[in-house]
Amino acid sequence: MNDTRFATEYKKSVDAVALPEGYKESLISALIESEKTRSSETGGKNTWNIRSFIPAIVAASLVILLGFGAFFAMRGIFLEKEELHIKVYSATNLSCIKGARIVFRDKDGNLLADKKGDPLTAVTDENGTATATLPKDTAVSAEISSDGYIPLTVEAQAGNFYISPVMTEDTYRAVLTWEKSCDLDAILTREYKGKAEQLYYFNSDFTNEEGTVIATLDTDSENGDGPETITFNSNGNGYFRFSVGSYSSLKEEADFTFANAGATVTLYQGDKLIGEYSVSDAESGNVWCVFEVSDGTLTIIDDIYTVSAMTEIK
Amino acid sequence: MLSANINKTEAAVRKYGDSLMRIAYTYTRNMEDAQDMVQDAFVKYMTKAPEFLSTEHEKAWLIRITINICKNHLASYYRKNRDELDENLSVCDEHSTLVDAVNSLPEKYRTAIHLYYYEGYSAKEIARIIGLTESAVTSRLQRGRGLLKKMLGDDFG
């Protein structure tokens, strides 16, 4: 049996396995029930009578006041420190990085020291995790470095951090992260010889005329928790524009803003960190055009606009 | 919003339901579980309400989500029922149909073979759907074909 005949026979064989009768109707009924339940859980609060909650609100306020009192009393007694767990990943394949070194600086740029006076340092284990005990409520920055990666400086806080491998000088990499659960996507558009194309998960690379890959979607966030990383080589390959799209806001999140989502783009070129960009105002829109690279020249755009379909992103 | 989501999801169930059920069946090997997996995939579709660039994109997204749900389900099922499952999953010596033969392949070959021969996707498209390189998919297809040839003898290859 050759390949084509196998395909025909296999299709026949698969089609001969009967699907449950009426399963689509059962599925649709179950989905309607599920949507109704979800809708009543999220939207039903509009029908509540606020008066019935007054006793609960008063009680909760008292508990909160007492809690604050206890908190400030304890704060005066104990020295405030907190343990941070930092996890370091590669921005291109999300593998954990073992042996990454983290040092910490105060707001004046001085290295924090341990009890012996040595610089306070944390090193990631095989799971990419490092732990450090730092003064609480004090602005501290963390410098993360590892062999073969571009050093990254971030605000010292618990969480996941993504560092970029070193690239060739004409290569750019943008790493999109966000704080709130939402469906953001990194999108790269390219114009070359009058043709435009868009890089996204189902078209995850661009090639040049010789068939060499010049841009890739390195990581695609399927679960809506980030990051998304795009790498591209600008050398003679046309005009590139990097944007962030909010798919879910096309549908129902009318009050969505990139500032609320905590979206941040970290941009690298070659072996350097170019900058970290985020949206500070509450401008609404579902596309954030972050930067463009034309003939090797980088320009930060930082423009927010609205589209009705992601295919309209330019 | 409820009716808009429902209408869109109902259309997707009617359009892609059969394909997704058959893909889920290659994992679960029983229709009841396959239906549960597909239902979970459509719940995700409805709640995330993603925007798609094309119908191919939409179908590929649903296939990808269904495969992930099946894998997660099998991983937790396997952990709970390891001993029983090992006995039940022994490869049969005789396959009454090609479906049985393909379904007896290890999961990584089975998925590639099904998407290639039944859904008609190329190795490059399969790579994008299941998150592998094209060469890894090509290798899985070759090894899957090799195993089928061993099972089916002269009836294959």
Side-chain angles (χ1 to χ4, degrees), chain A residues 296-311:
Chain A
T297 304
L298 168 73
T299 309
I300 303 301
I301 304 290
D302 192 20
D303 179 38
I304 292 177
Y305 60 98
T306 301
V307 295
S308 55
M310 287 299 154
T311 44

PDB file of all heavy atoms in Angstrom, chain A residues 296-311:
ATOM      1  N   GLY A 296      17.759  49.350   9.538  1.00  0.00           N
ATOM      2  CA  GLY A 296      18.644  49.240  10.694  1.00  0.00           C
ATOM      3  C   GLY A 296      18.497  50.357  11.714  1.00  0.00           C
ATOM      4  O   GLY A 296      19.212  50.379  12.712  1.00  0.00           O
ATOM      5  N   THR A 297      17.559  51.299  11.488  1.00  0.00           N
ATOM      6  CA  THR A 297      17.384  52.399  12.443  1.00  0.00           C
ATOM      7  C   THR A 297      16.154  52.142  13.313  1.00  0.00           C
ATOM      8  O   THR A 297      15.048  51.934  12.804  1.00  0.00           O
ATOM      9  CB  THR A 297      17.212  53.741  11.698  1.00  0.00           C
ATOM     10  OG1 THR A 297      18.333  53.908  10.852  1.00  0.00           O
ATOM     11  CG2 THR A 297      17.109  54.902  12.677  1.00  0.00           C
ATOM     12  N   LEU A 298      16.384  52.170  14.618  1.00  0.00           N
ATOM     13  CA  LEU A 298      15.295  51.907  15.570  1.00  0.00           C
ATOM     14  C   LEU A 298      14.591  53.212  15.939  1.00  0.00           C
ATOM     15  O   LEU A 298      15.233  54.211  16.239  1.00  0.00           O
ATOM     16  CB  LEU A 298      15.882  51.264  16.834  1.00  0.00           C
ATOM     17  CG  LEU A 298      14.972  51.173  18.053  1.00  0.00           C
ATOM     18  CD1 LEU A 298      13.903  50.097  17.841  1.00  0.00           C
ATOM     19  CD2 LEU A 298      15.773  50.852  19.306  1.00  0.00           C
ATOM     20  N   THR A 299      13.246  53.187  15.916  1.00  0.00           N
ATOM     21  CA  THR A 299      12.462  54.334  16.380  1.00  0.00           C
ATOM     22  C   THR A 299      11.391  53.842  17.339  1.00  0.00           C
ATOM     23  O   THR A 299      10.663  52.898  17.011  1.00  0.00           O
ATOM     24  CB  THR A 299      11.761  55.048  15.183  1.00  0.00           C
ATOM     25  OG1 THR A 299      12.734  55.299  14.183  1.00  0.00           O
ATOM     26  CG2 THR A 299      11.098  56.338  15.622  1.00  0.00           C
ATOM     27  N   ILE A 300      11.331  54.449  18.509  1.00  0.00           N
ATOM     28  CA  ILE A 300      10.283  54.078  19.462  1.00  0.00           C
ATOM     29  C   ILE A 300       9.014  54.833  19.069  1.00  0.00           C
ATOM     30  O   ILE A 300       9.023  56.053  18.925  1.00  0.00           O
ATOM     31  CB  ILE A 300      10.702  54.426  20.912  1.00  0.00           C
ATOM     32  CG1 ILE A 300      12.026  53.747  21.273  1.00  0.00           C
ATOM     33  CG2 ILE A 300       9.602  54.033  21.900  1.00  0.00           C
ATOM     34  CD1 ILE A 300      12.047  52.245  21.177  1.00  0.00           C
ATOM     35  N   ILE A 301       7.914  54.132  18.899  1.00  0.00           N
ATOM     36  CA  ILE A 301       6.665  54.741  18.428  1.00  0.00           C
ATOM     37  C   ILE A 301       5.716  55.030  19.602  1.00  0.00           C
ATOM     38  O   ILE A 301       5.211  56.125  19.756  1.00  0.00           O
ATOM     39  CB  ILE A 301       5.941  53.808  17.427  1.00  0.00           C
ATOM     40  CG1 ILE A 301       6.864  53.444  16.264  1.00  0.00           C
ATOM     41  CG2 ILE A 301       4.643  54.459  16.936  1.00  0.00           C
ATOM     42  CD1 ILE A 301       7.178  54.563  15.330  1.00  0.00           C
ATOM     43  N   ASP A 302       5.436  54.007  20.413  1.00  0.00           N
ATOM     44  CA  ASP A 302       4.564  54.116  21.591  1.00  0.00           C
ATOM     45  C   ASP A 302       3.211  54.766  21.241  1.00  0.00           C
ATOM     46  O   ASP A 302       2.842  55.803  21.787  1.00  0.00           O
ATOM     47  CB  ASP A 302       5.271  54.911  22.698  1.00  0.00           C
ATOM     48  CG  ASP A 302       4.530  54.787  24.032  1.00  0.00           C
ATOM     49  OD1 ASP A 302       3.744  53.842  24.175  1.00  0.00           O
ATOM     50  OD2 ASP A 302       4.732  55.653  24.896  1.00  0.00           O
ATOM     51  N   ASP A 303       2.497  54.127  20.340  1.00  0.00           N
ATOM     52  CA  ASP A 303       1.204  54.672  19.901  1.00  0.00           C
ATOM     53  C   ASP A 303       0.128  53.609  20.125  1.00  0.00           C
ATOM     54  O   ASP A 303       0.358  52.425  19.858  1.00  0.00           O
ATOM     55  CB  ASP A 303       1.304  55.036  18.408  1.00  0.00           C
ATOM     56  CG  ASP A 303      -0.013  55.575  17.886  1.00  0.00           C
ATOM     57  OD1 ASP A 303      -0.680  56.299  18.638  1.00  0.00           O
ATOM     58  OD2 ASP A 303      -0.375  55.256  16.738  1.00  0.00           O
ATOM     59  N   ILE A 304      -1.019  54.050  20.621  1.00  0.00           N
ATOM     60  CA  ILE A 304      -2.115  53.098  20.867  1.00  0.00           C
ATOM     61  C   ILE A 304      -3.276  53.442  19.952  1.00  0.00           C
ATOM     62  O   ILE A 304      -3.644  54.605  19.819  1.00  0.00           O
ATOM     63  CB  ILE A 304      -2.533  53.151  22.346  1.00  0.00           C
ATOM     64  CG1 ILE A 304      -1.404  52.580  23.207  1.00  0.00           C
ATOM     65  CG2 ILE A 304      -3.816  52.355  22.580  1.00  0.00           C
ATOM     66  CD1 ILE A 304      -1.645  52.639  24.669  1.00  0.00           C
ATOM     67  N   TYR A 305      -3.822  52.423  19.305  1.00  0.00           N
ATOM     68  CA  TYR A 305      -4.972  52.661  18.441  1.00  0.00           C
ATOM     69  C   TYR A 305      -5.902  51.450  18.485  1.00  0.00           C
ATOM     70  O   TYR A 305      -5.587  50.429  19.113  1.00  0.00           O
ATOM     71  CB  TYR A 305      -4.527  52.999  17.012  1.00  0.00           C
ATOM     72  CG  TYR A 305      -3.719  51.942  16.311  1.00  0.00           C
ATOM     73  CD1 TYR A 305      -4.312  51.047  15.422  1.00  0.00           C
ATOM     74  CD2 TYR A 305      -2.346  51.843  16.496  1.00  0.00           C
ATOM     75  CE1 TYR A 305      -3.562  50.085  14.759  1.00  0.00           C
ATOM     76  CE2 TYR A 305      -1.593  50.894  15.839  1.00  0.00           C
ATOM     77  CZ  TYR A 305      -2.208  50.012  14.964  1.00  0.00           C
ATOM     78  OH  TYR A 305      -1.468  49.061  14.311  1.00  0.00           O
ATOM     79  N   THR A 306      -7.003  51.568  17.800  1.00  0.00           N
ATOM     80  CA  THR A 306      -8.021  50.511  17.868  1.00  0.00           C
ATOM     81  C   THR A 306      -8.248  49.918  16.480  1.00  0.00           C
ATOM     82  O   THR A 306      -8.312  50.646  15.496  1.00  0.00           O
ATOM     83  CB  THR A 306      -9.348  51.096  18.404  1.00  0.00           C
ATOM     84  OG1 THR A 306      -9.094  51.642  19.687  1.00  0.00           O
ATOM     85  CG2 THR A 306     -10.419  50.029  18.516  1.00  0.00           C
ATOM     86  N   VAL A 307      -8.343  48.596  16.433  1.00  0.00           N
ATOM     87  CA  VAL A 307      -8.713  47.917  15.190  1.00  0.00           C
ATOM     88  C   VAL A 307      -9.923  47.040  15.474  1.00  0.00           C
ATOM     89  O   VAL A 307     -10.210  46.700  16.632  1.00  0.00           O
ATOM     90  CB  VAL A 307      -7.551  47.044  14.648  1.00  0.00           C
ATOM     91  CG1 VAL A 307      -6.361  47.885  14.254  1.00  0.00           C
ATOM     92  CG2 VAL A 307      -7.152  45.980  15.660  1.00  0.00           C
ATOM     93  N   SER A 308     -10.627  46.656  14.427  1.00  0.00           N
ATOM     94  CA  SER A 308     -11.763  45.753  14.633  1.00  0.00           C
ATOM     95  C   SER A 308     -11.376  44.310  14.337  1.00  0.00           C
ATOM     96  O   SER A 308     -12.112  43.378  14.649  1.00  0.00           O
ATOM     97  CB  SER A 308     -12.951  46.174  13.772  1.00  0.00           C
ATOM     98  OG  SER A 308     -12.535  46.249  12.431  1.00  0.00           O
ATOM     99  N   ALA A 309     -10.219  44.101  13.713  1.00  0.00           N
ATOM    100  CA  ALA A 309      -9.699  42.746  13.486  1.00  0.00           C
ATOM    101  C   ALA A 309      -8.185  42.841  13.476  1.00  0.00           C
ATOM    102  O   ALA A 309      -7.617  43.845  13.041  1.00  0.00           O
ATOM    103  CB  ALA A 309     -10.199  42.198  12.149  1.00  0.00           C
ATOM    104  N   MET A 310      -7.538  41.782  13.969  1.00  0.00           N
ATOM    105  CA  MET A 310      -6.082  41.839  14.095  1.00  0.00           C
ATOM    106  C   MET A 310      -5.383  41.902  12.728  1.00  0.00           C
ATOM    107  O   MET A 310      -4.217  42.278  12.633  1.00  0.00           O
ATOM    108  CB  MET A 310      -5.582  40.653  14.911  1.00  0.00           C
ATOM    109  CG  MET A 310      -5.901  40.808  16.388  1.00  0.00           C
ATOM    110  SD  MET A 310      -5.113  42.259  17.111  1.00  0.00           S
ATOM    111  CE  MET A 310      -6.215  42.634  18.465  1.00  0.00           C
ATOM    112  N   THR A 311      -6.095  41.510  11.681  1.00  0.00           N
ATOM    113  CA  THR A 311      -5.501  41.612  10.339  1.00  0.00           C
ATOM    114  C   THR A 311      -5.292  43.074   9.939  1.00  0.00           C
ATOM    115  O   THR A 311      -4.560  43.370   9.006  1.00  0.00           O
ATOM    116  CB  THR A 311      -6.416  40.944   9.297  1.00  0.00           C
ATOM    117  OG1 THR A 311      -7.748  41.344   9.563  1.00  0.00           O
ATOM    118  CG2 THR A 311      -6.312  39.443   9.353  1.00  0.00           C
TER     119      THR A 311
END
